[in-house]
Amino acid sequence: MRAGGFLACCLRRTIGRLRETHGMANRPHRSNELEIRVRETPLADGTRSWHSTVLCPRQKRSMEVIDCFRCQRYSEFAFHEGGCGVLRCRESHDPVREQESQIPKKGPLDRWDSFHLLAERTPVSALIAARVHCVHPDVCVESLASALLDGTFSSSVPVVDEAGTPIGVVSRRDLPRHDRRGSGVSRPTVRKIMRPITLALDERVSVSRALTCMVDKAVHRVPVVDSRGSVVGVLSVSDILRWLGPSLPTPSDR
């Protein structure tokens, strides 16, 4: 091959590679929008702590937002008012995601077996709200009572330690106990009136299994924890019924 032809061939290949590289660089990345979940916990000194997590589609478990920043698939994040928001990560070939895509989508179901399949394949992490309120056991009862009675907190609140592990639960019906135990000298704390935890659900547990456990334990509201045992949400029977909604089979479908 002549020198001129060889140089021309090399030049054409170089230009082709540059065009290919430029095209890949300008090709938009597909991304997932992951909901940022926030656990808010009032502390004994009057301050509050916030703990933010996202449900990783690859590992199928909750991850701290700060850990996502080290991931090669991390793209960007945006916080909304109150600490909630979204985190975006780049998509890739992922067998876990492909398996999750096979989970039936919510919608009208024709048969009871389809209803059971939906409940068995869907984890409770898909149902819990992005924001959950907890309380530290050393918070005074008066402060908690104000939050419960004015609607800031739900009717019942998980009591968690410094690591976010549930150690009890307190509700509005526990507040009258404060009047009997209170004294003019000491201010009773949540630790004195909380009830023990009877059930906590792993976020990977199926909706079907969760409902069975809640019925067996006769509870209608339970904390949901991640792989480290920290609270990432609360699940209630009402949440399950709202999620199912029109998916519930009618008598004619039996």
Side-chain angles (χ1 to χ4, degrees), residues 97-162:
R97 283 187 54 80
E98 292 177 0
Q99 183 178 2
E100 288 182 342
S101 66
Q102 298 174 5
I103 296 178
K105 301 300 182 181
K106 179 183 175 184
L109 300 174
D110 297 329
R111 300 183 304 170
W112 276 95
D113 57 350
S114 297
F115 161 69
H116 291 302
L117 185 64
L118 176 68
E120 289 173 0
R121 292 191 176 182
T122 304
V124 296
S125 57
L127 277 64
I128 58 178
R131 191 178 189 86
V132 58
H133 289 100
C134 298
V135 65
H136 192 273
D138 293 333
V139 169
C140 69
V141 174
E142 292 179 1
S143 299
L144 175 63
S146 299
L148 286 172
L149 295 176
D150 66 11
T152 303
F153 287 179
S154 301
S155 58
S156 64
V157 184
V159 182
V160 299
D161 60 15
E162 287 75 8

Side-chain angles (χ1 to χ4, degrees), residues 47-120:
T47 62
R48 294 172 181 259
S49 69
W50 285 269
H51 184 256
S52 301
T53 61
V54 295
L55 184 64
C56 178
R58 294 184 64 250
Q59 300 193 34
K60 300 180 67 175
R61 65 184 181 92
S62 291
M63 304 285 294
E64 294 188 17
V65 171
I66 192 171
D67 291 335
C68 293
F69 297 158
R70 306 185 185 98
C71 179
Q72 294 181 349
R73 292 179 173 81
Y74 166 75
S75 176
E76 59 183 343
F77 76 97
F79 278 114
H80 303 321
E81 185 178 356
C84 298
V86 295
L87 182 145
R88 297 182 179 89
C89 65
R90 289 181 289 272
E91 287 185 348
S92 63
H93 174 69
D94 190 347
V96 173
R97 283 187 54 80
E98 292 177 0
Q99 183 178 2
E100 288 182 342
S101 66
Q102 298 174 5
I103 296 178
K105 301 300 182 181
K106 179 183 175 184
L109 300 174
D110 297 329
R111 300 183 304 170
W112 276 95
D113 57 350
S114 297
F115 161 69
H116 291 302
L117 185 64
L118 176 68
E120 289 173 0

